[in-house]
Amino acid sequence: SKLDWRELEQEPHAAMLDWYKQLIQVRKASPDLLHGDLDAVEVESSEEQQWLTMKRGRQEVAFTLAESGAELAVAAGARLVMGSDPAVSVAGDRLRLVGDSVAILRLS
């Protein structure tokens, strides 16, 4: 295959490139994500409800493949760093994921 570099300026390609740039910045700014120690990773999931969370240090990544989304408990004071959809939100100790979305959180 051959890349069409003109697509970088067109949607949805421009938004996807921006998403990856933001992910790279989050990783560079988060010491917890810079090492490969798998013993430091905590994973929880629900196959039935189609969600998964991964915690490493003060970082948590949560996603759902469910069309209806998911509402998950998070640590009090968790802050949304990035969400794949503007409707992804944190209120108190609850994370609201819309269908087929991901959230990156920083834990207190």
Side-chain angles (χ1 to χ4, degrees):
S1 76
K2 192 173 180 181
L3 292 175
D4 183 349
W5 292 101
R6 295 173 296 175
E7 290 182 341
L8 291 179
E9 299 169 2
Q10 302 168 8
E11 293 301 337
H13 310 290
M16 185 61 70
L17 178 61
D18 185 54
W19 172 257
Y20 278 105
K21 286 180 178 180
Q22 289 180 52
L23 285 173
I24 290 167
Q25 290 304 312
V26 167
R27 183 170 182 173
K28 285 181 178 179
S30 306
D32 294 324
L33 300 178
L34 293 176
H35 62 81
D37 181 9
L38 294 179
D39 291 332
V41 178
E42 299 173 37
V43 176
E44 294 182 38
S45 66
S46 170
E47 188 172 338
E48 180 181 315
Q49 297 174 357
Q50 297 182 301
W51 59 263
L52 181 135
T53 64
M54 180 200 75
K55 294 179 191 169
R56 180 183 276 183
R58 294 180 50 212
Q59 305 299 314
E60 182 170 2
V61 176
F63 74 87
T64 182
L65 298 175
E67 286 183 32
S68 60
E71 188 170 307
L72 307 174
V74 294
R79 182 177 59 85
L80 182 64
V81 175
M82 287 179 65
S84 63
D85 187 285
V88 170
S89 62
V90 175
D93 64 350
R94 305 301 295 174
L95 168 65
R96 172 75 177 124
L97 294 168
V98 296
D100 195 24
S101 65
V102 63
I104 300 172
L105 307 169
R106 178 170 302 263
L107 308 175
S108 298

